[in-house]
Amino acid sequence: MLKKFLAARGYGAIDDLARLAFKRGDTVFTYNFHPSPTKNDTDLTYAISDVEAIGWVLIDRQAEGEGLRRFVGLTFRRREGL
């Protein structure tokens, strides 16, 4: 219940928010992902693959900041034919 409440307000896991945007019929989905500094961006790779499995295609990735303030702005578009 809390997960659904937060997702409706734009907070939560990237795959949950991507799924909601897909169900709403959005054509573009953006998310600022904060990778773990200790995982060598493997969590970023998994996040992108999870979102693409829903039906999105990554069209832009922009890294910003350094250290703990680092984030990657991800932009996806709806996959053609879905």
Side-chain angles (χ1 to χ4, degrees), residues 4 11 22 36 52 55 65 71:
K4 187 175 180 180
Y11 299 101
F22 195 85
S36 172
E52 287 185 334
F71 70 91

Side-chain angles (χ1 to χ4, degrees), residues 1-9:
M1 187 160 118
L2 178 60
K3 185 176 176 180
K4 187 175 180 180
F5 174 82
L6 291 173
R9 284 148 184 81

Side-chain angles (χ1 to χ4, degrees), residues 22-70:
F22 195 85
K23 286 180 182 177
R24 270 195 316 258
D26 295 359
T27 55
V28 176
F29 171 68
T30 61
Y31 189 87
N32 288 334
F33 187 85
H34 297 269
S36 172
T38 60
K39 294 187 178 180
N40 297 326
D41 287 350
T42 56
D43 56 342
L44 175 61
T45 303
Y46 289 132
I48 291 170
S49 67
D50 289 347
V51 172
E52 287 185 334
I54 294 167
W56 297 101
V57 177
L58 181 68
I59 59 171
D60 189 39
R61 175 164 81 180
Q62 186 73 22
E64 301 284 337
E66 294 181 19
L68 296 177
R69 295 184 183 167
R70 184 173 84 108

Side-chain angles (χ1 to χ4, degrees), residues 70-81:
R70 184 173 84 108
F71 70 91
V72 180
L74 302 172
T75 304
F76 298 87
R77 69 169 169 74
R78 183 180 283 269
R79 185 177 301 131
E80 299 294 323

